[in-house]
Amino acid sequence: MQTFSCRCGNPLFFENTHCISCESEVGWCPACTNIVALEPLSGGGYRCTHTSCGTTLMKCHNYAVENVCNRMVIMDEGHADTLCDCCRYNEVIPDLDISGHRERWAALEAAKRRLFHTLNLLKLPHGTEGDAIRVPLSFSFMADALPDQGLWRSTASQEKVYTGHANGHITINVKETDDVERERLRVDMNESHRTLIGHFRHEVGHYYWDLLVKEQDEGKCCQVFGDHNNPTYAEALEQYYQQGAPADWPTRFISAYATMHPWEDFAETFAFYLDMVAVLDTALHMGLSRAKHDGTLDGMLLAFHQVGLAVNELNRDMGLLDLAPGVIAPAVRDKLAYLHTLIQNANASPQA
Ligand SMILES: [Zn+2]
Ligand SMILES: [Zn+2]
Ligand SMILES: [Zn+2]
Ligand SMILES: [Zn+2]
């Protein structure tokens, strides 16, 4: 991620809604793709103050009314309750009558905006119902049924919400925004790191399997990730929860969970690829010369390794977890090479 600049010269960040220096309201302008200071117009709406943009904008409904977004919509293309290019993917939002859910929703939206930023950086196709895309993408953010005055609410059909993906629909359990819960699960599941944005990157990996691989490139994908029909997903899940990952998983997989089934391997490896792209993008914008690469996979891996060394040491200075794995096994590199080509081909011929 890059940083942006207010009209007063103060730096602005991707999540900002105000400039702390000149107190201007700020938002994401879809016309010039920047976080910009907003100039209120007398007839309603705002003008983008970015040099040579000046587009007339209005706030996304979830910015103006709900306070969980910071994106703008181009005035001519919208009306008063328009959702921005990220919020329009929502199918279910958390129940806002429950205390704390608005803050959790805001955290989910912030992670989702970063996800879309990386997808757009890679020019990966995506769209909602009605966008003429083969597999429309949508999101639901939901909570488990909560104890109500000591009793469990009777919601027989849906007491537990599983984070996951099915046919383009991504569900995230809002408890993933709870730091204590997420860290407990991280330790339980023996994961090197577990983050909210990581969930988005993993689940969108399943989406891109459906969009780019299913009935299109399954043969080649099977050669790299293994046959997803044998064992079936249900058999693999059962086996994984009984036996866990094989001890030698680091020689063949990006994570222990990736050993569960070829689909999980694909999603975990895809998430790692997005991690790498996001980190390299930020490192380049922050002026870290060791992040420079030639756009090939091996160039990216080398740059990510160099940046990873530096950031891991910084994290260790602060007593935090390592950001980047020390070594990428050759078998994992081959899987990343498959994804690298898949992603390049996808943006050469959009799935519209
Ligand atoms: Zn300012
Ligand atoms: Zn603009
Ligand atoms: Zn929005
Ligand atoms: Zn998964």
Side-chain angles (χ1 to χ4, degrees):
M1 184 59 62
Q2 64 193 101
T3 55
F4 306 88
S5 193
C6 184
R7 60 178 157 181
C8 73
N10 196 52
L12 297 174
F13 299 94
F14 192 62
E15 284 79 13
N16 282 166
T17 53
H18 284 88
C19 170
I20 53 163
S21 174
C22 72
E23 293 177 4
S24 293
E25 283 190 284
V26 309
W28 174 264
C29 172
C32 62
T33 63
N34 279 296
I35 295 287
V36 297
L38 302 168
E39 185 188 316
L41 300 172
S42 53
Y46 301 83
R47 192 186 322 278
C48 169
T49 61
H50 195 262
T51 333
S52 76
C53 182
T55 305
T56 311
L57 304 166
M58 56 199 297
K59 286 181 176 176
C60 166
H61 171 88
N62 286 348
Y63 185 1
V65 178
E66 304 290 357
N67 242 327
V68 298
C69 180
N70 68 346
R71 295 213 155 200
M72 308 299 288
V73 178
I74 295 174
M75 184 77 105
D76 301 341
E77 296 172 0
H79 47 84
D81 61 351
T82 298
L83 294 173
C84 73
D85 54 355
C86 288
C87 291
R88 71 193 188 92
Y89 285 84
N90 291 349
E91 200 164 293
V92 179
I93 60 162
D95 179 354
L96 298 176
D97 288 340
I98 295 172
S99 130
H101 270 195
R102 185 175 299 278
E103 293 72 19
R104 287 175 173 163
W105 183 25
L108 287 157
E109 291 298 342
K112 175 150 68 73
R113 288 194 297 276
R114 283 205 173 232
L115 171 74
F116 276 118
H117 189 79
T118 307
L119 299 181
N120 293 340
L121 212 61
L122 290 168
K123 299 191 176 68
L124 274 164
H126 52 82
T128 57
E129 199 80 57
D131 279 346
I133 189 149
R134 213 167 52 81
V135 187
L137 176 64
S138 59
F139 291 85
S140 287
F141 303 137
M142 294 156 77
D144 295 335
L146 286 173
D148 189 33
Q149 297 168 329
L151 297 165
W152 285 83
R153 275 189 212 177
S154 171
T155 52
S157 59
Q158 194 131 45
E159 290 190 331
K160 228 172 155 19
V161 171
Y162 292 96
T163 293
H165 166 272
N167 306 318
H169 185 69
I170 290 173
T171 302
I172 310 265
N173 190 318
V174 298
K175 77 178 172 201
E176 291 295 346
T177 64
D178 178 344
D179 295 340
V180 175
E181 176 74 6
R182 197 175 55 243
E183 185 63 8
R184 188 183 66 71
L185 284 170
R186 186 188 74 76
V187 175
D188 276 5
M189 316 272 272
N190 192 21
E191 294 171 356
S192 64
H193 59 281
R194 183 182 181 100
T195 61
L196 192 52
I197 195 164
H199 283 296
F200 280 90
R201 290 181 180 144
H202 173 100
E203 300 307 337
V204 93
H206 290 304
Y207 171 71
Y208 282 107
W209 193 91
D210 272 17
L211 185 68
L212 304 175
V213 177
K214 190 178 182 181
E215 291 160 16
Q216 296 182 83
D217 204 35
E218 288 189 36
K220 237 193 256 166
C221 191
C222 284
Q223 285 172 17
V224 181
F225 288 91
D227 183 359
H228 52 266
N229 292 314
N230 182 31
T232 66
Y233 191 84
E235 289 163 356
L237 184 70
E238 177 74 26
Q239 190 188 339
Y240 183 76
Y241 283 109
Q242 278 178 12
Q243 299 171 16
D248 68 342
W249 69 260
T251 64
R252 291 177 289 136
F253 296 92
I254 193 70
S255 70
Y257 187 61
T259 65
M260 200 265 262
H261 184 269
W263 284 339
E264 296 308 336
D265 193 11
F266 184 95
E268 285 287 275
T269 312
F270 195 92
F272 173 82
Y273 187 90
L274 295 188
D275 285 349
M276 177 170 71
V277 168
V279 165
L280 287 176
D281 176 54
T282 301
L284 280 170
H285 278 111
M286 295 294 166
L288 291 185
S289 58
R290 55 173 67 190
K292 287 202 179 106
H293 61 83
D294 57 9
T296 63
L297 177 69
D298 289 326
M300 289 165 73
L301 282 170
L302 180 65
F304 186 62
H305 180 69
Q306 303 279 359
V307 172
L309 283 178
V311 178
N312 286 351
E313 284 305 325
L314 288 171
N315 279 12
R316 289 170 195 172
D317 279 335
M318 296 301 289
L320 297 171
L321 297 169
D322 279 3
L323 172 118
V327 197
I328 297 291
V332 174
R333 188 229 161 251
D334 291 347
K335 294 172 191 178
L336 289 164
Y338 172 81
L339 293 181
H340 187 68
T341 306
L342 186 76
I343 289 167
Q344 284 185 329
N345 291 344
N347 68 47
S349 60
Q351 300 293 302

